[in-house]
Amino acid sequence: MKLALSGNEAAAYAMKHINPDVVPAFPITPQTEIMHNFAGFVADGEVDTEMILVESEHSAMSAAVGAASAGARVMTATSANGLALMFEIVYIAASTRLPIVMTVVNRALSGPINIHCDHSDSMGCRDSGWIQIYSENAQEVYDNIIIGMKLAEDMKIRLPVMVCQDGFITSHSIDVVEPLEPETVKNFIGEHKAIYPLLDVENPVTYGPLDLYDYYFEHKRQQVDAMWYVKPTLRQIFADFSKISGRAYDIIEKYFVDDADQVIVTMSSTAGTAKAEVDELRKKGQKAGLLKIKLFRPFPYEEVSEALKNAKHIAVLDRSLSFGADAPLYSEIKSALYNQNKKICSYVFGLGGRDINLEDIKKVFSEIQKLDNTCHDIRFIGLRD
Amino acid sequence: MVNIKEFSSREERLSSGHRLCGGCGAPIIARMVTKATKDPVVIVNATGCLEVATTIYPYTAWKVPWMHNAFENAAATISGIETAFRALKKKGKIKKEIKFIAFGGDGGTYDIGLQSMSGAFERGHKFVYVCYDNEAYMNTGIQRSGATPYGASTTTAPAGKVKQGKEQFRKDLTSIAAAHHVPYVAQAAPSEWNDLITKAEKALNADGPAFLNVLSPCPRGWRFPENLTIEISKLAIKTRFWPLIEIENGKWTLNKDITKPLPIKEWIKSQGRYSHLLKPGNEAIIEKIQERVNKDWEKIKKLCS
C-alpha cells in the first residue's frame, strides 16, 4: 500500500512496525514530529512501547543506555543540539555495545542557532562508534530504520545505529512511501535477544566498570572488530530485505557511474537532486554520474575506490565542514582514492539549510570537466562573496 | 525498628575487598541500604568514589546487577532500566519484583546530576535515589561542591591568606527533593544505623520515587582519623549540623530531637578541613555558622510540628 508520508512520518511508521519496548524522547526541531506521531500510536494502543518523556536529550540517551542494558529493545530520535548534548552518552552507548537505533534528523549545529539542514550534527559523531546510514528520501528513512534495527541486533555486531535524514528537506516533505505489513517487519527483525541483561537478577553483571590502561585498549579493539562485520552483514540484510520489499539497496549507490567521466559524490537528499541533473546531462551526451554514500560508518573505502576507477573528474559535495581541515566526506573519498591519480575537488554546500538546486549541480559538473589537477581549496556552492 | 541479628544474617550485596579508603562512609551506607530489602535489586551508580573503587575491571565488588553510565545521569539511567522492567513485565517476560537503587555522591547529585534526578522524580519512576553526601568532589581530589559547608577548606576553595575556605552555605537538597512531592524523602547518617535502615526500608517500599540524603564522613577530605567515622557522624547529629528528618507523603518528622545540642565549634574542632577557623580573628565565621545551624533547626522544628 502506498502512502503519502513525510520523512518524519515514515520514521514513526518504521518505529511502529518495529514496536520497541522503550522509547525515551525529548523534543527538538525538526525531529519533534517523529515523536508526535509515535506518541499517537502509543496513545491509541497500536504499539506496546513505554515512552520516557525525559527532561533533556542527555537523559534521553542515558535512559536509552539504561533500558538497553536492562534487556529492552530501544529506539529514539534527535537533531543538532540535542545530539550534541547527548554526545558523551552516544560514545557510552557504542562502547557498551547496545543495539539502539536512533533517527537523526540532520540540522545545523549552533551557533548561531539555525533549525535547518546540514550534516554538522551527525558528522560530529562520526568517530563515536555508531554505525551511520544516510537516507535520500522518506522511503529510505522507513527502510533504513528497519534494516538498521536488524543490523544493530546482529549477534556479531551489537552496535547502535544512526539513521540520518535531511531536516525539513526530507523530514517535512510529503513523499510516496510504501510501508511493509507490520507482520512482515516483525518476522524480518525477529524477537529481541538481550545479552547479559541487567534485569536477569539470577545472573548479576557489572556494567560500565572503571577500565584502565590494562584493558581499555583491548575493549576499543573489540569495537574495531565489530565494525568490520558491518559491511558483509549489511549486504546480507539488504539482500533479505529486497525479498520482502522488492527494493534493492547497497552500501553505496552508483547512478550512471561505471562509464562516467564526471562523478559527483554526495549523500542524503542531495543525491536525489544530483540524479535529476545526471539525467539531463546524459540526454545532452555528457557522461555524468552520481555516487551516493549510504553507509558512512563504517566507511566503504574499497567500494568507493572500485566505483570511481573509471571517473576522470570527481566532485565531492559535503553538507558540513571541518574547520582547518578537509570536509568529512571529501576527506574519506580522498583517502579511498589515495593510490589513484584522480582529479578531485571538494565542494561545500547547503550549510544552515541553504538550498541547492539543479543549476548548482549543473555548474559543478561543468566546472570539474575543466579540472587539470586536484583543486586545493574548498569551493563553496551558493555562497555570497 | 530493625532486628540487628536478623539483619546481619542477610546476604551482603556489596562484598568486602573493594578499594574504598579505610573509614569511608560510602560502603557502610551502601551495605545498609542494599540489605534493607529482601527483593532482588538493580543498582545504578553515578561516577564517583563508590563507583571507581568497587569496579576496577576485571573485578567487581557487587553481587547484584549494577551499572555505571556517567557522572550526571544516574537517575536518567535508572529511569531507563525501571521503564524496561515495566515494559518487559507487561509482556510477561519478567515475573519477579525488583527494586531499583541509584547511588550518587554529592557532586553527582547536588550539582551535575540534579536535573536528571529532578526529571526522574517528576516522572514518578519507582526507585530510590541515595546521595552519599561527603560534602565535596572527593573522587577527583576534594573540590568544593554545592554540598560543601560554609567555611570548609577544599582544593578549589582553599583557606589562604585572604580567604577562609568556602564562602557560601550548602544548598538544601533534601528540601529540593521534597518539593517534588515524591512519596518519601529522608535525611540520615551512618552512625544512626537503625534510623538509616528503617528509612531505607520505607524508601524501598514507597509507591514512587524516594530520596535518601545520607551524610558520608570522609577521612581524607574532612581530615580526621579513619577510626572516627562513626564518631564524626554522631557529632554531626549532636551539634544539629545534620538533622535526622523524614518527609513521608508531605508530612515532616524530626526523627531525633536534639534538646541539648553541642556547640558547632565541637564539630569544627573535629576536622582538619576547618582548622583555619580556629585561628584568632575567625571567631565571627564560627558564629555565622552557628547562627545558620540555629536558624535551620528552628525552620525544621516548625515544619515538623
Side-chain angles (χ1 to χ4, degrees):
Chain A
M1 184 178 56
K2 285 183 179 169
L3 298 175
L5 299 177
S6 69
N8 277 344
E9 288 169 333
Y13 259 83
M15 291 172 71
K16 176 182 163 179
H17 292 164
I18 288 168
N19 192 11
D21 299 309
V22 176
V23 169
F26 187 80
I28 185 166
T29 303
Q31 163 269 130
T32 38
E33 270 189 354
I34 297 177
M35 292 308 168
H36 297 174
N37 283 287
F38 190 72
F41 299 142
V42 174
D44 290 336
E46 294 182 48
V47 288
D48 308 315
T49 310
E50 292 287 336
M51 287 184 87
I52 317 177
L53 302 169
V54 286
E55 79 300 329
S56 74
E57 286 92 352
H58 193 282
S59 285
M61 188 45 64
S62 300
V65 164
S69 305
R73 179 177 270 160
V74 183
M75 303 182 79
T76 186
T78 194
S79 294
N81 298 42
L83 183 58
L85 186 60
M86 285 179 180
F87 189 75
E88 178 195 25
I89 315 303
V90 165
Y91 274 70
I92 293 171
S95 58
T96 314
R97 307 287 296 274
L98 301 172
I100 298 162
V101 173
M102 171 162 68
T103 301
V104 174
V105 185
N106 284 120
R107 165 184 150 177
L109 273 178
S110 300
I113 189 167
N114 175 299
I115 57 165
H116 291 283
C117 179
D118 69 36
H119 296 169
S120 51
D121 51 1
S122 56
M123 283 299 164
C125 288
R126 65 191 188 272
D127 295 333
S128 63
W130 283 57
I131 295 163
Q132 288 193 340
I133 303 173
Y134 287 77
S135 317
E136 181 183 327
N137 50 41
Q139 182 69 62
E140 284 199 8
V141 169
Y142 175 86
D143 292 346
N144 286 341
I145 290 172
I146 291 162
I147 288 163
M149 193 81 244
K150 193 167 174 68
L151 180 66
E153 292 184 355
D154 184 274
M155 282 299 173
K156 285 203 290 288
I157 296 172
R158 302 304 279 201
L159 286 173
V161 176
M162 264 178 223
V163 176
C164 304
Q165 60 168 307
D166 282 350
F168 289 106
I169 301 161
T170 306
S171 70
H172 285 62
S173 303
I174 304 294
D175 206 344
V176 178
V177 178
E178 207 172 344
L180 301 167
E181 289 301 317
E183 203 56 29
T184 309
V185 176
K186 195 178 164 189
N187 293 335
F188 181 71
I189 59 168
E191 187 85 1
H192 175 67
K193 291 186 194 76
I195 300 181
Y196 304 121
L198 273 173
L199 294 175
D200 180 3
V201 291
E202 268 86 42
N203 299 291
V205 285
T206 287
Y207 267 88
L210 178 65
D211 196 22
L212 299 173
Y213 37 68
D214 45 357
Y215 286 99
Y216 180 90
F217 208 171
E218 280 75 17
H219 290 140
K220 292 294 121 181
R221 168 59 195 262
Q222 288 179 349
Q223 282 179 254
V224 172
D225 288 349
M227 271 288 181
W228 287 116
Y229 289 116
V230 172
K231 279 199 294 183
T233 309
L234 183 54
R235 282 217 177 84
Q236 185 58 52
I237 295 172
F238 279 148
D240 295 341
F241 188 79
S242 82
K243 285 179 207 151
I244 60 164
S245 67
R247 293 185 285 271
Y249 293 120
D250 201 351
I251 58 179
I252 57 170
E253 183 184 332
K254 293 191 289 181
Y255 193 74
F256 293 102
V257 167
D258 289 340
D259 70 336
D261 291 330
Q262 287 80 41
V263 178
I264 282 181
V265 185
T266 195
M267 297 159 74
S268 297
S269 67
T270 312
T273 314
K275 282 177 188 171
E277 188 54 34
V278 166
D279 291 345
E280 286 304 307
L281 294 174
R282 286 269 166 180
K283 275 186 216 157
K284 290 174 190 156
Q286 184 178 343
K287 284 184 170 178
L290 166 85
L291 180 64
K292 181 175 90 180
I293 306 298
K294 188 173 195 141
L295 180 70
F296 189 78
R297 280 292 180 273
F299 194 82
Y301 294 102
E302 296 85 356
E303 291 77 1
V304 167
S305 175
E306 175 65 21
L308 293 175
K309 67 179 183 212
N310 298 325
K312 287 181 184 151
H313 308 113
I314 300 156
V316 182
L317 271 59
D318 270 276
R319 202 165 199 144
S320 64
L321 276 170
S322 178
F323 300 101
D326 285 338
L329 180 60
Y330 176 70
S331 172
E332 305 299 2
I333 301 297
K334 202 165 84 168
S335 215
L337 300 175
Y338 80 101
N339 58 357
Q340 295 186 37
N341 189 23
K342 294 290 180 193
K343 298 181 178 71
I344 174 167
C345 195
S346 170
Y347 286 84
V348 169
F349 72 97
L351 300 189
R354 182 155 301 178
D355 204 13
I356 183 163
N357 55 38
L358 292 170
E359 272 307 306
D360 296 319
I361 302 285
K362 190 176 172 183
K363 204 174 150 206
V364 171
F365 273 122
S366 159
E367 275 179 18
I368 58 168
Q369 232 177 344
K370 296 165 206 147
L371 266 186
D372 294 329
N373 279 305
T374 289
C375 46
H376 295 290
D377 296 324
I378 300 169
R379 296 182 181 186
F380 297 98
I381 300 172
L383 182 74
R384 283 191 294 269
D385 289 330
Chain B
M1 273 299 277
V2 179
N3 179 329
I4 191 71
K5 206 172 168 186
E6 187 274 325
F7 188 80
S8 57
S9 71
R10 291 184 195 175
E11 202 191 337
E12 294 290 343
R13 286 166 160 182
L14 171 62
S15 73
S16 59
H18 58 71
R19 304 181 207 191
L20 284 150
C21 304
C24 176
I28 305 172
I29 296 161
R31 285 175 58 212
M32 284 200 260
V33 171
T34 54
K35 285 173 75 170
T37 176
K38 288 177 185 173
D39 284 333
V41 296
V42 174
I43 293 169
V44 170
N45 214 151
T47 309
C49 294
L50 182 62
E51 170 260 326
V52 298
T54 56
T55 64
I56 303 175
Y57 189 86
Y59 304 104
T60 181
W62 294 95
K63 296 181 170 190
V64 289
W66 181 97
M67 178 172 209
H68 161 249
N69 189 349
F71 197 1
E72 68 286 58
N73 63 357
T77 307
I78 210 150
S79 297
I81 298 169
E82 187 262 359
T83 307
F85 169 71
R86 281 187 284 113
L88 298 177
K89 202 166 187 194
K90 189 170 71 182
K91 291 178 182 172
K93 293 183 180 175
I94 293 176
K95 303 273 187 304
K96 282 191 171 171
E97 194 50 49
I98 299 176
K99 305 280 194 207
F100 299 93
I101 306 171
F103 285 107
D106 50 290
T109 312
Y110 280 70
D111 291 349
I112 197 168
L114 182 58
Q115 173 186 316
S116 169
M117 186 174 78
S118 175
F121 284 174
E122 184 269 332
R123 292 190 298 273
H125 298 281
K126 205 170 164 189
F127 77 111
V128 182
Y129 193 107
V130 183
C131 174
Y132 65 100
D133 179 3
N134 53 28
E135 305 194 315
Y137 292 85
M138 297 312 185
N139 187 44
T140 44
I142 322 170
Q143 293 85 12
R144 68 83 91 185
S145 78
T148 303
Y150 191 98
S153 181
T154 54
T155 52
T156 49
K161 285 175 187 159
V162 297
K163 288 185 180 280
Q164 305 302 326
K166 195 183 171 194
E167 295 172 331
Q168 300 83 23
F169 284 98
R170 67 183 174 209
K171 64 174 95 156
D172 181 2
L173 186 63
T174 307
S175 293
I176 293 169
H180 289 78
H181 303 298
V182 293
Y184 191 76
V185 173
Q187 218 164 257
S191 56
E192 318 304 306
W193 58 269
N194 208 326
D195 180 72
L196 171 57
I197 297 164
T198 306
K199 283 172 175 170
E201 279 176 351
K202 284 186 182 182
L204 286 156
N205 289 322
D207 191 22
F211 178 68
L212 297 177
N213 200 3
V214 190
L215 190 73
S216 182
C218 172
R220 289 283 302 124
W222 297 8
R223 306 289 180 203
F224 65 82
E226 293 94 330
N227 59 338
L228 294 184
T229 302
I230 297 302
E231 291 307 313
I232 294 285
S233 170
K234 281 180 185 165
L235 206 49
I237 314 295
K238 287 178 187 167
T239 54
R240 294 179 173 171
F241 176 82
W242 192 257
L244 297 177
I245 51 172
E246 67 184 345
I247 303 114
E248 214 171 350
N249 296 314
K251 190 184 176 299
W252 286 64
T253 306
L254 181 61
N255 305 102
K256 190 166 185 173
D257 198 0
I258 308 298
T259 48
K260 287 181 189 143
L262 293 174
I264 199 66
K265 198 171 177 182
E266 294 303 310
W267 168 252
I268 287 166
K269 270 162 52 185
S270 70
Q271 298 154 54
R273 62 175 170 162
Y274 292 120
S275 60
H276 55 287
L277 297 184
L278 301 171
K279 287 183 193 157
N282 282 341
E283 295 81 1
I285 298 174
I286 297 180
E287 194 46 43
K288 194 174 173 180
I289 297 169
Q290 183 68 66
E291 276 168 25
R292 180 60 181 252
V293 167
N294 297 348
K295 214 173 120 191
D296 286 352
W297 187 263
E298 277 168 35
K299 196 177 128 195
I300 284 171
K301 287 286 271 188
K302 206 176 275 177
L303 285 165
C304 295
S305 63

